Structure formats: C-alpha cells, structure tokens
C-alpha cells in the first residue's frame, strides 16, 4: 500500500485521534502501540476514565509519516477489540459548518471573524436565518446566505430545506448562533451530536424564554451563557462550556442583554473551537472536554 | 446642646448613613444639606434610583464634629419629609452577630478568622450549632458556643432557645454559615432583613438538597454559591452576592464539594462585610449593593 | 430666557455631569442644590474623595426640563466657588471618535460592531491606519478610512495629517486600537486626556515590545491587557481598565496572542464606553472610574 | 518477590507516576506497556511535549495490584532507556511539609485548615517563624512551632537550624507562607525544586518590597498573587499559579492588602495541592501543571 501512495509518506502529518469506550486495562498501551508501530510521535495527549459511567476517553495528537490507511487499519483493529467509538482527523482541518441565526448578529459576526482572522478551524458552508436582516453581514464574509422563514405551517418545509443544505454541503457541524427557533425532534435526532446551541443563561437557571428578564427579576449578581449539544430534550443537552459576567443593581434588562451578548459569543466560540478540534466527547448527559 | 455634650464635639466622627425612599427630586440636596449644616465632609457616596420599583437608595460616609443627636434630629426631619427608611451608624462599628452552623467548619472558621485578623466589622456574640463538632473551633476564637440540637419534635424549643440568645445578646445579624436546618416562618419573619444564608449553588439553579450532586449530574462547567437574605420563601430571598468556580469533567462530586467550599466562604464573607458596612439595601425581591 | 428657548423646556433632558476639584465640605450640597433649583431628578450618582491626592470626584445623572443654558450658568457659579473642572453632556450623546489601527483587525472590528449593534456611544469620524489592510473592514462599517504610512522620515508629516483629521472632524476621542506606532510628545500633549491606548499586557508587566513572547518566556499563568490614557511617558499613562485570561503550559506564543486578542478587545471596549459615558476622571497618575 | 511481600498484592494500590525526559517517539507506549504488564488500569493521564525545550512530560494515575517493587523495576528500565526523571508515589500520600511564616497568619491558617478539613495531602511536620506571634495558631492545629529569629548576624545560624529541622523531619516540601526573609543561595540550592513561595503581586509586576503600595501608586485595576518555586534568582523562579482580584479607585493600600490576602492564600493553596499531587513539573524557567 505504501507503494501505491508514495506521496502520503513523503512528509509527516499531524493527526488527532479522539475515542471513547468502556473502561478496562490496556487501552492506552494498545493505542500508543498502534501509533508507535507507525512511527508516531505523540505531541499532546489526555485520558480520562469516568467511574460514574464506566467509560474511558482519550484524545491524542500525533505526528507520523506513515500512510493514513495503514494507521487507520491498525486503529480499526484496536477499536474492535475495545468496542471504541473513534475519529481520526488531520489537526487543523476546517470542519464544514452551517451557522443558523435569526436577527441578533453578535454570535454570527464573532464566528465569522474568528474563522477569518483568528484561526477558528471551521469552513462556513453557509448561513441560514429565518429573517433576512443578517444577509449583509454574511455576504461581507463571503458566506452564502439562505433566508428560510419559519411559521407554524411552513416549519416542516423549512426543516426539509435545512436538511437539503446540510446534505448538499456535506455539513459536519450546525451551530445555532442565537437561532430563535426550536428544531423538531426528527432534526435533532438526525443531526445528534453535531448541533451546538448557545443558550443565553447559566443553565439550568432560567430555562425557556426571556432569561435576562427572569434574571433581572430574580436579582442575580452574575449572568451567564451555556453552549450545549442540542437534543430533543430542550435546554437539557450535554453542556460543553459556560461562563458568567458580573452585573449590578444598576443594570437594567437592556444592559444585562448587552453584557450577556459578550458572554454568549465568548462561550459559543470556545465550544465551537473545542468541537472542531475534537476536544469534546459526550459522556452520557455530560461532556468530557480535553481543552 | 453643644455645651451639654462637649465631648461629642471634641473630634470628628466618621459616620455612615444608608437610606431608601420613594424616588422624587430633591432627596440628595436635602440630605447633603442636613450634612453640610453640621459641618459634614462627604468622603464616599453613592445613589441609585430604580425605575422598576420607583425607589431611591443612598449611602453616604461623612466626617463631622457635630453632636450625633443634632445630626439625627436634622436627618429625622428630612426622613419624615421623604418617607425614608434610614440608619445612621459609626463607620467600622462592629455589628453584633450570631453565627449558626452545623458540622461543616469552612464558613464558620473563615468568618472568625476575618473578624480577628482582617477587620471584618462584626462582633461574634456567639455560635449556635445543632451538632457539637464545631465547639473547639468556636472556643479557639473565644466565641461562646451553644449546642442546640434540632429534631422534628424539639424544633419549637430550639427556636425559642435561639431567639432567647438573639434577644439576650442584642444580636443585630444572624449568619447561617452552612446551618443545615430550615428556620420556621415565625423566626424568618421576626428577624426579617437580618438573617444572611449561604446557599451552596448558583441560585436559582439547583435549589433544595444536595446541589453539588445535582450539578455533577447535569454536567455543569461552573459551580457557584449564593448569599441571600432569608425569607419565609425558601431559597428565594433577595440575593446579596454570588460567585462561581470552574470545574471540569474530572471533578467528581467530592471534588466539587471541596471547590465549592472555597466559593461559599468567599461569597458569604463578602455579603457579611457589605451588610455590616451598611452597603446592602433591599429593593423588593432584589438588593442594591453599594460595594 | 425660557421664552427664548421654548423647545428646550418642552420635555425633560437626561444629562450627565462629571467634575473634580480640591476636596472640602459642601460640594455635594452645592451641586445638588443647583440641580434641585432647576427641577433636576438625580437618577444615578457617585462621589469619591481621594485622601492621597486631596481631590474630590463626582458624577451625576439628572433628568431636568430646565433650559440647558440656565443650568450651565448655575453650575458655572458653583464650579468657580470650588475650583472645579467639569463637563455637562447629554446622556448617550455619541462622542466623536477617531480610531487608529495598524494591521490587526480585532480591536477595530469590535469597536465598529459595538458602535453599530450594541449601543457603544461613539460616532466613528474615521479610521486612520499606517497600513492599507484594514480598509475593507472600515468600509463595511461605512467609516472613512485614511491610510497614513509612517516611516522615520515621514513621521512629522504623518502626525500633521493626523491632527488635520482630528481638527477637521471635531474629534473628541482618539482610540489606539492596536496602532503600533508611538505618538510624538507633541501629539500626546495636544490631545492629553483624550487618547486611549490598549496595551497587550497586564501593565506594568511586560512593557515594551512583544509582550506575549516575554510572557511565554516567563511562564506566566495569566495574560492580560491594559487600557490607559496616553501620555508622553510611554506605557505609564493612567490605567482605565485591565483584565486577564488564563493560559496554560500548552499554549505557545501564537495561542497566547490569540487568547490575548480577546482580552484586548474586551478591555478596550469597556474603557471606551466608560470614557464616552464620562465615567472616567483622572486623579494624578490614577483614574477614578464610576462604572 | 511476590512471596516476600504478600500483603502488597492483596489489593489494588492507586499510584501516580510523574516523569519528564527528552521528547522522542515511543515514550507513552513504553510507559503504558510497563503499566499494562503489571495489570495497571489508567484512571487519569496527561502528556505534553514542549517544542520550545524539546522536553516531554507525563503524569499518569494507575490502579494496580502488582507489587510496588516489580513495577518500580520495570519503570526503572524504561526510565534508563529514555533518560527520564521520574517519581512514583501513592495517590493521596501526605507530603511531609514545613511551613515558614512571619507575622501574617492568613496563608498559614489557610494551609492548616485545608490540611485538616479539606483533604490537602500534606503532613505538617512543623511551622518555622522568625517572630513568635503565630505560635498559638500553630498549636491550635497541633503543629510543632519553631521560633527562629533572623538578624543579619544570626542568619547563618538560623538557616542551619532550619536545615536541621528539614533533615530531622525528612521534610519533602518547604512552603514560604508569607515568610518575609530571603533564603540564602546555599539553602535555595540545597532545597531546589522543593520550596514554594507566595509572592504578593502578579509577577513580574511589582517585584521586590511593598508590592501593594507600588500597585496602588500605579493605579492598577487588578491585584494579584504568584506562587512559584524558589531559586537563587529572587522572584524569578518558575511560576506554578497566579490569580487576580479586582480593585477600584476607592481601595486604599490597606484595602488592597486585605483583598490581596484572599488571592494569596487561594493561589498558595492551589500550588501546594498540585505540587503534593505531583501535578507540577519544571520545564526550564516554566512549569507544566497537569491540573
């Protein structure tokens, strides 16, 4: 096989392997063995065994000059032996991403900016919004914009259009960047594990609508934001990242919203980066984040 | 009057005035006028009008050599005119405080330490606990310790004993420093506005029992603590202060408890200090904190 | 006078007054008196006397239906009596601002975004850069772009061009949004108190060039940014705001730069907002920030 | 050998291995191989290769029922092959620690409290102070107290007495908990890598004496603390942990000191815990912290 793909062996590739499986002795040794046999040099690695779920998680970055197919064959054998879910990717490969938004631009702009100027490893396949307002922003970053209005009646059609875009664009990740619509159970299920939402509160506080108004009414001293995977169970998906910002008695709801937008975009950007770098692994209702 | 109280005029006192009243023009001018007429020099001052409740809040520190009674008479007149709730105190006067605890020492020790070594302006009248474990700690800081066990049957007696201690000691502030019992509505009402509790979660998340276990189960990335005034409505009293600490997937419930204790004691200490310095004013379900 | 300006009295204006003067008794009373006489209702107010400099600082927001000229006359009299430096402005009036940048877009984009979408009260009169790279960004936000290259030889000409733009545009505030050139002492002096710079370190750590490389070499665990007024004394002007972000051993210089950009833009945006809202008062080498 | 130590094999031990060596392929595989051969189950593991120093770092926690001596022999062979510095210890074994202090109690009390009540894995062999003030605190935690005054003349004797205590007590870790004396180069060299100091500033800002007064004069908006290993090069040893706390214009030097003490004790406690858990590895002038 090496003769068939001489160019693949010409220089070292930097790869990332992320895996999970039921915990048992020997996993690290087997994985590192497969890597070592292919001349792999580990540059960064983290492992974690969760006693509460009995699962083991591993993420390893490795430099190797071996042909990818050889390494994949070796890892497949290891994966079968331990019952692993695994993924092998090139470090830094941009993940094909669809961003969904509504009217608020802060999260969308932030992701587009980081993609262009700060090395966020995503490729923005398109922007879908249920309102037309954000089209100029998408265009200014050369991202194809799809205006798909959603009403109770048109929701099934809208979701079909969404899935068409996902399929046509080989979309790997969907980011709900303050998309104010709820996806149907069917879409949640089809895209499970590949949809990240930013919720504008410190979950599980203030689930549901108008969280900043709820937070103001309750007189909290910190407001927060939560990035999580979307599941059919609204606002209950595994949390990837959270952060907070201090507010005072003199901040009204409007000021809390403005401050909150800063946390939202920061939290969402971190979650998207970690996901795109294969640092997030789902562990039941929780996530393991090898940040 | 100055002749009657010569000693009072001998040197300047540093006073703090905290007040609230329905908002209207002229409040600051009237108050600062009363202070200026008595030779008062304002060293620090903050005001806030809450449009959502229509209330006005003010805290002012002032140096004056005038007799206290003269100043109080002048302020009384202003207070009557504007319908004020107000308090005048000497800056730094230790507030007579009763600390209630159970078995966990971290909040109790922290308050006692700050009182002795870091200028926390409280005088610890006593420590009440429903278990005997913390007696050595209280004793090592020379604080009288009262062991008052609480069972369903003895709760009325226990609360009577508590109120006896409060009355006998002229207690101004009761701090629930991880006191794991719920005070009856009667006690809450009698001591309203003068009881501070530390709740070991970022309210309104994880109300009720075992918040760290709830937080671990939900997979949150930050844990928090909340200091609030106690009302008959459990875990719903006005929030004084909150803070959070980052946790990761590798922290089990026990580690979250340990990290949480750091936030709890920090948040509680801030709330007690601000209350004792008359920086916290209740504004409906919220608080104004002139920190 | 009210008859001469009927429209001015038609409805209430929301004004902000910021002042400083040598500390002495009676200041608050005199100011609040002038406001009260003109029907002013104080909505937010803060005062501070600095014992180390002997100066007193005050910021007050007031609603009044009185003609502005009347109020100004009354305040002028008070200001003369106490030797005040003072400023009266309409709450929320956009401050005429010139942004200077070089090649890095993160601070520029952030300010433009916040101006357009998040109520940052500035009006962007123009963008000056010593490189052409950021022109498309400025244009996408409709901000006039001036490319003024700077070499050792052309620096005097470049600064003259800069001052021409400042004067022609009635510029009130110059923001150095990662402008990598040092302004001459003459320009610093002429614009004193009206130029804000973002320094990419937690001053006074890592003054001078390449602070992130210095920080990485020293192995710090937090990196920071500092917004300060520019003075002729490089990196020594009064600090307005600082913040930090956690880094770990696995962050190389490039990653520290990327993380640092987040702190830089956040810190700069806060400083610009507070300055534009007249919340920042210079107190010798320090600032009073009524945030 | 298993017959000679039957009890060692009776049940699984939880061990921690920390190592560093020049980076090359195969390290993880060799180490995990040695562990796997002895039935080791990895519960937590982290690796890091530093391109700037060419060093590789690894920390692994493993459960094994194998005799310790067998495992040590196997690891010794691996260590020789890769030129490793390594340490194998039981997870949670208390590290024999000497705490040095002066007059300020906050760091000393915090460490003693965490040792007794919060599972900080140290055994306090003794407390050395150059003033007698803290003796009651040490005694209240049953820690032997040594008053060793230090003057210019007696410093050599004092350091000899210190080293005697270190040797007699098999001290593994010395913590300078606001010990205001500078250790001689000889002592620094002899105890290299085993002395942790808390510096009351955010290094490298405000090196040297009276950092809070320096910070106040400079008008910083955050104050910090730094825990670092002590080297002969004052305030320049590898940093283990840093943190900051917000201050405002209204905080005078005294208030900054009080706030600073909170950061100091927090930062020192984290550094001591991580060191005692073998999570800190020195990487030239920097540290790798597997927290």
């Amino acid at each position: 096989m090496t003769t068939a793909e001489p160019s693949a062996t010409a220089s070292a590739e930097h790869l990332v392997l992320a895996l999970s499986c039921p915990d048992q002795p020997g996993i690290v040794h087997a994985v590192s063995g497969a890597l070592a046999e292919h001349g792999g040099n580990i540059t960064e690695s983290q492992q974690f065994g969760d006693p509460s779920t009995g699962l083991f998680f591993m993420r390893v970055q490795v430099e190797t000059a071996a042909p990818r197919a050889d390494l994949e064959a070796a890892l497949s054998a290891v994966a079968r032996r331990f019952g692993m879910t695994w993924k092998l990717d090139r470090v830094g490969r941009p993940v094909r991403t669809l961003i969904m938004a509504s009217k608020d631009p802060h999260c969308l702009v932030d992701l587009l900016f980081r993609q262009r100027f700060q090395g966020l490893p995503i490729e923005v396949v398109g922007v879908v919004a249920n309102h037309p307002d954000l089209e100029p922003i998408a265009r200014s970053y050369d991202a194809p914009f799809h205006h798909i209005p959603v009403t109770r009646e048109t929701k099934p059609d809208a979701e079909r259009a969404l899935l068409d875009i996902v399929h046509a664009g080989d979309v790997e990740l969907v980011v709900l960047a303050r998309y104010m619509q709820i996806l149907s159970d069917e879409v949640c299920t089809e895209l499970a594990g590949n949809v990240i939402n930013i919720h504008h509160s410190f979950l599980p506080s203030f689930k549901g609508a108008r969280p900043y108004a709820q937070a103001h009414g309750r007189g909290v001293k910190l407001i927060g934001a939560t990035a999580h995977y979307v599941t059919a169970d609204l606002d209950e998906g595994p949390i990837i990242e959270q952060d907070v910002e201090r507010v005072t008695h003199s901040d009204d709801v409007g000021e809390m919203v403005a401050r909150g937008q800063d946390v939202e975009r920061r939290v969402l950007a971190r979650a998207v980066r970690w996901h795109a770098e294969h640092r997030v692994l789902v562990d039941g209702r929780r996530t393991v984040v090898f940040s």
Side-chain angles (χ1 to χ4, degrees), chain A residues 251-262:
Chain A
D251 292 302
D252 60 25
V253 176
E255 285 156 338
M256 287 172 68
V257 168
R259 275 161 188 276
Q261 291 182 346
D262 265 32

Side-chain angles (χ1 to χ4, degrees), chain A residues 103-156:
Chain A
K103 287 180 170 178
D104 278 337
H106 56 287
C107 287
L108 172 64
V109 167
D110 196 59
L111 291 171
L112 293 170
F113 178 80
R114 289 177 194 271
Q115 187 278 325
R116 175 160 298 175
F117 294 108
Q118 298 187 315
L120 180 66
I122 61 171
E123 181 189 340
V124 181
V125 173
V127 173
V128 165
N130 60 332
H131 291 282
D133 313 49
L134 301 179
E135 175 154 12
I137 287 174
R139 293 241 174 278
S140 75
Y141 281 91
D142 307 315
F145 183 84
H146 309 270
H147 176 209
I148 307 184
V150 178
T151 64
R152 188 168 304 188
E153 292 73 36
T154 64
K155 186 160 176 173

Side-chain angles (χ1 to χ4, degrees), chain A residues 3-109:
Chain A
T3 52
E5 285 181 310
S7 65
T9 64
S11 68
E13 264 197 314
H14 201 180
L15 301 176
V16 53
L17 170 69
L19 62 89
S20 64
C21 61
D23 202 357
Q24 61 169 283
I27 303 170
V28 174
H29 187 55
V31 171
S32 59
L35 300 176
E37 279 163 28
H38 293 79
N41 188 35
I42 293 174
T43 58
E44 185 183 328
S45 179
Q46 287 167 291
Q47 295 88 44
F48 173 64
D50 185 345
S52 70
T53 57
L55 295 175
F56 182 84
F57 302 86
M58 182 170 184
R59 181 188 185 276
V60 53
Q61 291 191 183
V62 63
E63 288 173 334
T64 173
R68 178 88 73 93
D70 288 10
L71 184 58
E72 283 180 351
L75 289 171
S76 288
V78 174
R80 270 192 305 275
R81 180 176 150 207
F82 290 96
M84 287 174 180
T85 303
W86 65 293
K87 196 177 279 185
L88 183 71
D89 203 347
R90 186 166 51 76
V91 167
R93 182 186 67 84
V95 168
R96 296 180 62 77
T97 301
L98 184 72
I99 305 177
M100 300 186 74
S102 187
K103 287 180 170 178
D104 278 337
H106 56 287
C107 287
L108 172 64
V109 167

Side-chain angles (χ1 to χ4, degrees), chain A residues 200-246:
Chain A
H200 44 320
S201 92
F202 186 76
L203 288 176
S205 289
F206 310 126
K207 297 182 202 178
R210 307 195 62 233
Y212 291 117
Q214 292 183 57
H216 185 266
R218 183 63 187 87
V220 295
K221 299 301 184 184
L222 299 168
I223 52 168
T226 303
H228 63 98
Y229 287 117
V230 170
T231 60
D233 198 358
L234 190 66
D235 296 345
E236 293 289 342
I239 292 170
I240 303 169
E241 171 64 344
Q242 302 188 291
D243 211 344
V244 294
E245 189 104 332
R246 198 159 278 280

